Amino acid sequence: SEFETILVKQEGRVGIITLNRPEALNALNVRLGTEVLAAARAFDTDPGIGAIILTGSERAFAAGADIKEMAPRGFADMYVEDFFSGWDELARVRTPLIAAVAGHALGGGCELAMICDLIIAAENARFGQPEIKLGVIPGMGGSQRLTRAIGKAKAMEMVLTGRTMGAEEAERSGLVARVVPAAELMDQALATAEAIASMSKPIAMLAKEAVNIAFETSLAEGVHAERRLNHSCFATEDQKEGMVAFIDKRPPNFSHK
Ligand code: HXC
């Protein structure tokens, strides 16, 4: 494969990207970032793919940005290269993206999981933004997405002290959609991904777009945008198929176009 730091495979209509730097607990170096983005973009534009899973190992989803790579850097090169901004591109992937998280999801690892549309966590998952202990702060959206996900009090505590949160607290706090036994993580993530991928792809993309608008606008503007996206569903073959199938009492056969 063209990739050094990730493994990529397809199961049915689901694309799976596995972070694979076990020697560094999947720390996110520049190469890994480029590879994840390339793989995600390829799946995103593939009509045969309806959902993408991003996962790591049992021990670590990702233990953060690569500290050894960052340590010698200075302000000017970080700024001029706009370091970390490449990850913003992942948030622009329009196919639903599921993070299947086991073990450490720290710093950039937690931020990467939060860039995904939903997180399914193994019981051993641990989330945190420990950057402050290294003399830095989050740089891949953590201070923003964590605050939106779990609220100011807990986000402030985590970002200011670096304390981590286990899977159960993460579910209770609204950071993760579901906690599952570690041995079932991939099966459960795949079942969720397959359920999404069995829907109409354009309609799932519209649904994702609609939910994401909630993070960017006022309620009135968001409801307005949702209505326009809802109306546009009626321009698709899949709306006809979905509704006619219901009336005919049969499962829908979506074209995904
Ligand atoms: C580079 C890392 C790494 C990282 C772990 N490793 N995390 N390398 N960058 N973020 C490496 C270790 O150096 C070690 O390599 C190997 O992975 C195994 O890690 P250990 O520490 O030996 O494992 P363990 O004792 O089980 O501890 C696991 C851990 C710890 C608690 C997750 O590794 C840890 O605290 N890692 C750093 C977590 C962190 O601070 N993340 C935030 C980074 S900053 P060797 O070669 O020694 O075997 C960030 C935001 C950037 O993400 C934005 C701000 C600029």
Side-chain angles (χ1 to χ4, degrees):
S1 134
E2 73 215 87
F3 298 126
E4 261 175 28
T5 63
I6 61 173
L7 304 170
V8 175
K9 67 175 178 175
Q10 178 171 353
E11 292 213 9
R13 290 184 47 77
V14 179
I16 303 173
I17 302 171
T18 304
L19 307 182
N20 188 35
R21 295 188 68 215
E23 72 286 359
L25 300 183
N26 293 332
L28 313 172
N29 61 9
V30 169
R31 170 134 203 162
L32 182 144
T34 308
E35 292 187 354
V36 168
L37 193 60
R41 277 184 172 144
F43 282 143
D44 195 30
T45 51
D46 181 345
I49 293 291
I52 304 167
I53 296 175
L54 186 60
T55 194
S57 70
E58 233 175 276
R59 198 170 156 213
F61 176 73
D66 192 313
I67 298 166
K68 291 164 190 167
E69 194 181 60
M70 283 184 295
R73 302 189 65 114
F75 168 77
D77 51 325
M78 292 294 277
Y79 175 75
V80 169
E81 285 175 36
D82 205 7
F83 207 80
F84 300 124
S85 66
W87 289 106
D88 297 347
E89 298 292 315
L90 194 61
R92 283 194 264 280
V93 164
R94 294 156 80 218
T95 305
L97 196 52
I98 296 173
V101 175
H104 305 288
L106 301 178
C110 185
E111 296 172 291
L112 177 56
M114 292 189 293
I115 288 172
C116 297
D117 299 308
L118 67 97
I119 302 174
I120 298 178
E123 280 164 349
N124 76 334
R126 284 209 83 80
F127 299 88
Q129 300 291 158
E131 286 90 344
I132 197 156
K133 296 180 179 177
L134 300 166
V136 292
I137 70 168
M140 287 168 50
S143 64
Q144 306 304 300
R145 290 196 178 90
L146 189 67
T147 306
R148 281 164 162 79
I150 69 175
K152 176 178 168 181
K154 273 181 187 282
M156 269 298 183
E157 187 195 16
M158 290 175 73
V159 171
L160 289 175
T161 70
R163 89 152 169 99
T164 61
M165 161 186 283
E168 198 188 303
E169 183 182 2
E171 182 181 30
R172 195 176 352 115
S173 307
L175 180 59
V176 314
R178 208 141 41 81
V179 181
V180 301
E184 291 173 27
L185 178 65
M186 276 317 283
D187 285 351
Q188 298 262 1
L190 253 176
T192 302
E194 278 164 359
I196 295 168
S198 75
M199 308 299 174
S200 160
K201 181 163 182 177
I203 303 300
M205 290 167 76
L206 285 163
K208 166 170 170 166
E209 187 178 344
V211 173
N212 278 333
I213 289 170
F215 293 100
E216 305 286 352
T217 77
S218 70
L219 180 61
E221 285 171 314
V223 170
H224 179 77
E226 178 199 74
R227 195 138 303 132
R228 290 292 169 268
L229 294 175
N230 167 287
H231 294 165
S232 63
C233 296
F234 287 79
T236 65
E237 292 167 32
D238 287 331
Q239 172 268 329
K240 294 286 170 298
E241 170 60 14
M243 292 190 178
V244 168
F246 173 83
I247 293 163
D248 291 350
K249 301 187 189 297
R250 61 169 175 83
N253 180 19
F254 291 125
S255 68
H256 309 295
K257 311 198 272 278

